[in-house]
Amino acid sequence: MPHCSNTMQHIIYSHTVADDLTKLLAELHYDRLFLLTDENTHRLCRPLLKGSPAEHAENIVIGATDEHKTPETLMAVWQALCQGGATRHSLLVCLGGGMVTDLGGFAAATFKRGIKFVNIPTTLLSMVDAAVGGKTGINFNGLKNEIGAFREADAVIVSTDFLHTLDDINMRSGYAEMLKHALLDGDRMWAEHLTFDVYSFDFSRLQTLVEESIVLKQRIVKEDPHERGLRKALNLGHTIGHAFESLALQKQCTVPHGYAVAWGLVCELYLSTSFGFPVEKMRQTFAFVREHYGCFNYDCRDYETLYTYMQHDKKNVAGHINFTLLGDVGDIRLDCRVSKEDVFAAFDFLREG
Ligand code: GLY
């Protein structure tokens, strides 16, 4: 059974999900089939699998949203697998956003030391990020993705058809991860992303951008599946972005993950200018983010708290905050250190321009 191998993960781009799932399942050989959904994807997305073997699979339905990404939900999934008679030759299809694919992937990775699983992401964020690349896990002790394993899905079916009913905020949230991939890739992809109309999505163009985004992520994961080096590039925008998310949570006003990443990208591009990143490109990216994501509501009294959150980032080494920055679009610099004053100046920059 493939774990994180040095081959590209099997991704199927589809506009006929039920047919493509049927073909895929015919190749995967399993004894019992289970379908994991949350309450929303069970109602809204499961009908798209009609006509495939998943229609008759044993259903496991969990609560929607990150609040349910817990050990209790994981145990409920293990329990449902046991009660449904799952063996180590069974197969789990995870149909949902990042919460479902992360938790479902971890349940599959651990049940009887690992059963096959297929991800069918239903949000833009999970298509271009969570469902691809083998990071699985749950939240624990108030920390996001604290417990987990690297284990790639046996296949991922990506269908932008699911996105027609996704709301604008979730679309923009996913798009921020695509913008991050574009910044890591190069000028052409970056410029294309800045000219894409995120108010009235052109779905055929979006399909191309989604595929390019996934290919970029796959290239990085193939080279460094366990995040020992290059995969850290995917943290661009996240060191500061996660601090914004944590502060928002503390103030009981959650922000969508991608919005926090977009604001984090601006701050980290500002920091990147000390490593040669062109100021003009930083300003162009900032203008795009400001127009489509607005600004996080914070002021200088929050800076110390934000910095403390950054110091607790699990990706730090020996107490140092480790940034991924850029020398230019596509010129990735890993493990960068910057002064606290510069981080505070980046906070100023996002607020005041
Ligand atoms: N979401 C970042 C990664 O998959 O490494």
Side-chain angles (χ1 to χ4, degrees), residues 92-168:
L92 181 68
V93 175
C94 305
L95 176 71
M99 183 272 188
V100 170
T101 58
D102 278 9
L103 187 142
F106 189 46
T110 46
F111 187 77
K112 294 192 189 285
R113 296 207 180 91
I115 62 171
K116 290 177 190 165
F117 72 105
V118 170
N119 282 339
I120 309 182
T122 57
T123 63
L124 187 54
L125 194 62
S126 59
M127 283 175 200
V128 297
D129 193 17
V132 176
K135 280 189 179 175
T136 71
I138 55 167
N139 303 335
F140 185 63
N141 264 350
L143 298 169
K144 282 172 76 83
N145 303 323
E146 186 68 354
I147 308 289
F150 285 103
R151 171 70 203 281
E152 281 190 338
D154 293 82
V156 184
I157 299 182
V158 174
S159 174
T160 50
D161 295 348
F162 287 112
L163 302 179
H164 288 285
T165 50
L166 198 68
D167 59 81
D168 286 353

Side-chain angles (χ1 to χ4, degrees), residues 179-244:
L179 179 61
K180 177 198 79 179
H181 288 162
L183 281 159
L184 296 172
D185 186 73
D187 280 329
R188 186 198 55 79
M189 196 162 154
W190 169 72
E192 276 214 37
H193 279 72
L194 289 196
T195 55
F196 187 70
D197 182 353
V198 296
Y199 287 109
S200 59
F201 277 85
D202 166 350
F203 275 83
S204 107
R205 196 163 161 222
L206 180 67
Q207 176 76 28
T208 310
L209 296 184
V210 164
E211 290 183 24
E212 286 181 357
S213 214
I214 293 173
V215 168
L216 181 279
K217 179 161 183 184
Q218 284 187 288
R219 276 206 325 258
I220 291 176
V221 171
K222 179 173 176 249
E223 202 155 310
D224 176 24
H226 297 122
E227 200 169 309
R228 312 238 195 271
L230 182 62
R231 188 167 182 165
K232 292 181 198 168
L234 297 173
N235 297 326
L236 182 69
H238 284 65
T239 306
I240 293 182
H242 279 152
F244 287 141

